[in-house]
Amino acid sequence: MAKPTQAHISKIISKSESPFLRDRTLKQTEYYMGAKLLEVGINPNKGVIYRWKTVDQGSSEEWTYSAYWGDSREKIEAEEA
């Protein structure tokens, strides 16, 4: 079985949330991603790139935080070049 080369965490955030709560949710999501990467044996500080994606859903937004390493990282970097 192939090893994973990407991970994603999604959160639904109300647009009416205060800036403090939105910022706290963003920081918590980044923290949880680091813990998730450590669980699968990836050092979150080396060889990993991160990307945020926001999707408007009317009165809320879906935030997705993604981490890419290995082959997935190379593919993302090639697409962005």
Side-chain angles (χ1 to χ4, degrees), residues 4-73:
T5 59
Q6 54 185 282
H8 312 277
I9 298 176
S10 293
K11 302 274 184 174
I12 304 291
I13 307 297
S14 172
K15 289 182 180 177
S16 65
E17 291 289 348
S18 70
F20 170 78
L21 289 175
R22 293 171 67 85
D23 187 53
R24 185 176 71 181
T25 300
L26 182 137
K27 289 185 184 337
Q28 285 175 339
T29 304
E30 291 173 341
Y31 175 84
Y32 294 139
M33 177 61 79
K36 186 175 188 177
L37 293 175
L38 289 171
E39 280 182 7
V40 296
I42 302 298
N43 183 338
N45 298 317
K46 293 190 179 182
V48 180
I49 58 172
Y50 301 93
R51 298 293 182 265
W52 277 103
K53 178 182 172 187
T54 304
V55 177
D56 189 331
Q57 297 184 336
S59 63
S60 62
E61 296 174 322
E62 180 180 10
W63 293 357
T64 302
Y65 191 48
S66 301
Y68 303 94
W69 61 95
D71 294 341
S72 291
R73 176 187 174 163

